[in-house]
Amino acid sequence: MGIFPVPVEPSMEALPVASRIRQLYPEDLFPNGRYVQLPYGRMRYWILGPEEGTKVVLIHGISTPAITWKVLAPYLAEQGFRVLVYDLYGKGYSEAPLVTYDSTFFAVQLALLLQYIRWPAANIVGFSMGGGVAAAFAATLPHLVAGKLVLISSAGLIEDLRAPNPSVRVPIPQYEELRDLQASELPGYKRSLQSCFVDGPIRGQEAAFDKLASLTVGPAQQRVQVLVVHGTDDEIVPVGEVDKIKARIPQAEILKVDGAQHDVVLNDAHWQRVAQELVRFLQ
């Protein structure tokens, strides 16, 4: 076990409000933003939508923080869902603790956050690396999953993995500048990114995905329902990953979005289709 308090490197919170990076990704992008100090460092989260709404957690990917959900989170809130959005440690407005960024670490982050905001359980939506986080979270803490799990452009089972090269292949090209500024202005970002590739939930989650095939979750102890959404033209996480997920989770519902790339949650041509399917599935 590590030593507490864990040493951390600063988040975007420590940078001047007028800085370019904070103009691209303002602290108040979503309403009801708060910080919380947890054992692994200070982190930021936002809660959108009516208090009585069905609870949904949105987990972003490896390099672009919660701004990933810029259009989907408000949409779900407008449809009556209670939506939790947050920055994973090492990204955006959450500090970068000096630890190993593996699936257990990210699962613990979300579990402690849910405890803090007093959500007994929630439906979980993970994008890209967040899909690996979501699978690991559900497999290890099933009592915190209300019943449904959505994996969008999901990593977790990738075999052909290369170390991150800051000059090529941005997961969400709309936020290339934000990714680059995090790398240059946040000392812990590159280290956290590297650990996510080497140690993290991008790969090696076979046991977690296998467990989802027969997992019972939540207070009702019902079989988990899984929706897998993936763009057919994704060059970051190839669409072939869907078949690998389906083989391990036979009951999963599959939605392949024709022509969509890895930015399926943001691209003007595709995000509304994804949003509508989320509403249908999560209701």
Side-chain angles (χ1 to χ4, degrees), residues 34-238:
R34 299 284 188 275
Y35 287 98
V36 58
Q37 178 67 48
L38 296 175
Y40 287 103
R42 183 171 165 89
M43 62 164 290
R44 187 159 180 82
Y45 68 95
W46 301 259
I47 299 178
L48 299 76
E51 289 189 14
E52 68 277 9
T54 298
K55 294 178 175 61
V56 180
V57 179
L58 304 181
I59 309 173
H60 66 75
I62 189 168
S63 61
T64 305
I67 196 172
T68 297
W69 305 111
K70 182 179 180 179
V71 291
L72 277 180
Y75 181 93
L76 291 174
E78 290 166 5
Q79 299 301 311
F81 291 91
R82 185 71 162 167
V83 183
L84 171 63
V85 181
Y86 68 105
D87 281 344
L88 294 170
Y89 280 126
K91 336 285 181 186
Y93 289 100
S94 292
E95 291 179 327
L98 277 69
V99 298
T100 299
Y101 287 67
D102 58 17
S103 58
T104 300
F105 166 68
F106 287 120
V108 168
Q109 180 188 8
L110 178 54
L112 291 172
L113 178 58
L114 290 176
Q115 180 190 49
Y116 178 77
I117 64 174
R118 299 185 180 182
W119 283 18
N123 297 300
I124 312 296
V125 178
F127 167 74
S128 195
M129 186 185 81
V133 175
F137 180 83
T140 55
L141 297 161
H143 62 287
L144 298 179
V145 179
K148 297 178 181 179
L149 184 69
V150 182
L151 307 173
I152 305 176
S153 309
S154 180
L157 301 176
I158 296 176
E159 296 165 2
D160 181 18
L161 191 64
R162 298 175 180 86
N165 181 341
S167 66
V168 298
R169 297 226 306 171
V170 180
I172 303 181
Q174 291 90 332
Y175 297 118
E176 180 176 7
E177 185 181 3
L178 177 61
R179 191 279 308 264
D180 291 344
L181 286 171
Q182 286 185 106
S184 63
E185 298 190 23
L186 299 179
Y189 174 78
K190 285 185 178 179
R191 180 182 47 77
S192 70
L193 191 67
Q194 183 69 26
S195 185
C196 285
F197 269 86
V198 174
D199 310 300
I202 289 177
R203 60 179 176 179
Q205 300 305 306
E206 288 82 4
F209 281 87
D210 287 345
K211 195 168 182 179
L212 295 175
S214 58
L215 191 68
T216 56
V217 297
Q221 283 295 287
Q222 59 186 334
R223 192 180 186 192
V224 67
Q225 298 178 55
V226 181
L227 171 64
V228 179
V229 180
H230 215 107
T232 60
D233 294 354
D234 195 329
E235 295 181 352
I236 303 297
V237 181

